Amino acid sequence: MDSTSHKPGDIVIQWLPPGLSLQISLDDQLAPCIDHVLPAGHKPQINVSPHFASSKLPLNGVRVAGQGHTTNKTAKSMVGGVLSSRLHYRHHVERKDGVTFALDIVSYDNMLGIEVTHTFEVFAKVPVLRSWSTLRNKSSSSITAMQTSSLSIGGMTNGTRSWSESYSVWSANNTWFREAQWQEKSLPDVGIDDVGLFELNDGHRATMARFSVSNQGSLSTETHLPMGAVTRNDGQDTWLWQIEHNGSWRWEIGDWQDGLYMAAGGPTQLDHAWEAVLRPGETFTSVPIALCHVVDCLEEAFATLTEYRRCLLRPHVDYERLPIIFNDYMNCLMGDPTEEKIHALLEPVRGCGAEYFVIDAGWYADDSSWWDDVGAWEPSQKRFPSGFKALLDGIRAKGLIPGLWLEPEVVGIRSVVAKQLPNSAFFQQRGQRVEERGRYQLDFSQLLVREHLDRVVDRLVHDFGVAYFKFDYNIDVMTGTDADVTRGISTGAAHLAHHRAYLQWVKDLLSRHDGLVIENCSSGGQRMDYAMLSVHTLQSTSDQQDPLLYAAIAAACPTAVVPEQGASWAYPQRQWNDETNVVTMINSLLGRVHLSGKLDDLEPAQYELVRQAMQVYHGVIREKLCTSRPFWPLGIPRWHDEWIALGLATVDGTLLLAIWRRSGSTKCSLALPKQHRNLRTVSLLYPTNFEAQIELEEGGFCIELPAIPCARLLQISP
């Protein structure tokens, strides 16, 4: 369909890919707007407000230099821009590629000659809408883009009266040692209210109210996950979204006429010093976001988003085997590996059933003063006098696959590499290299940087037989290099180019080295986003060293990462009692196991607890991870909760349920998901000979545990 002359109501696009229904129509300015996004089989609710049609929000949140706002939304908002209303619908195209369905909506601004193609994507039968936009300069002069949002949608509250009292907004704190901690706030508590909105006059469509969450810098999930949700209090309407970018981003919600809107995207000029100068014929494509709408509760939305995330994963043999990984860092060698220490660990690690042995930080340094000297990535002869290759060969001789920690994106200021590479290889600020915490940031948009790191990785793979890398990153650079500002490339645009080039470099590594596993770690989970996770094989979830605190992280991480990618530490210690060692083991069992701790120092009974946990993982759990859906019988975990629970619903109809008692009452009642309340057999999977009293109740069960911090893993079946 193609036309340059339309009237409001002329065009209604109904797109019905498997699993989802999307309707788009034109507003009174002829800009395309989303009417609804629904799972297949559901119809839009009857709107009680006579003003609902005016809640339409232009799909394209685009801003260019010199173009301001037309509504009461201030310039601080992502919506209400004059250009967004002038981007009139031209035509649309439906496409199909295998099990992927796509819809392109093309809009055009006659005054400036800007064309925007908004692309929607759906993976077969997964009711999640993926969205991004491509801006093209079709004029004869340059245009400077200041914002290119990936999605704007209004009318999210379905015309519900008193909607500000009926809906809440969710965001997730995500800091070092305290990842994936969700917070719920009422709309009035964040300054959004529908009082008086039905009486707006003088052409006003909104107040200035908005609530935004954003990130600036290289740690894409430091402070917050790139996610948000809006839920209705009756649990029958939920919107959930994620931004798929490994750099700067922003999302916001606010009032628009008689309803709620959401807008989201990558870097903007306002927040992140991002601008893109488009010469005639040039394009810019925004970062993808995913939007999930369920006529159900937040838990169901997370389960649906889990299925969607699996569609993003790069195929890898790792997801077929889900091996146990031993890493010598956490509460173990802590960055001080030696030949002697590693040899002492090999037999206990092998005996527990681990399949990888990863040597973490410190292997390249003669002493502990290595922080600002990293970058050459040559093994220390002092730590490994018999030779590093001989050590890795010894790991393989035990039936274990060797891996190494690497921080490829930085070079220490004392490193010889800092002298070998030119300034153009690094982020710069006014002619000086950007120094952050004793490191320089490499710029992966530069070919010489990628070639340098190719040689590093290829050497470690070919010369030493390394088959696993833990790629870490421990600095946060707020914006990109200014070396090309004189050529019209803003620091924000340089930052984005670096992040995209880094992802492509990792993809190329995996294509070149078949079977290579690359773990994503950034001070724990500080880049836990699905730009990184669509490429990297698995995710380190935290650097938390206290197992009782880690329980809140491990239980909440399936909100951010699929179970088969989310790796939580299990680090048993000789000085801990048995119940504490059980807690640390259960922290890892419903995801990927990152085993650590001084296993060679454990008493025989303590070691047997570890071995039993790994047997349960091998024999019962890991074959179910890739198809399971998470649920939380006690609600999304909060940091100070006395009781925490995480469950996985498996395709064979059974439930796996981890329960942690950290304090408070010794009894707790848990309700099972409504579709699983016919399950009546509850068995203790781990630890099998520890105390746990279970009584069946209507819709669930009650469990009684000892009056000390402890945890249990249950299996619930028909």
Side-chain angles (χ1 to χ4, degrees), residues 3-23:
S3 176
T4 58
S5 177
H6 301 293
K7 297 178 182 178
D10 281 355
I11 303 298
V12 176
I13 303 169
Q14 291 186 322
W15 188 45
L16 301 171
L20 186 141
S21 170
L22 170 68
Q23 180 172 297

Side-chain angles (χ1 to χ4, degrees), residues 367-386:
D367 54 39
S368 60
S369 302
W370 51 260
W371 177 263
D372 58 0
D373 193 29
V374 296
W377 308 116
E378 295 283 354
S380 166
Q381 296 181 9
K382 182 178 179 181
R383 290 181 181 273
F384 313 110
S386 300

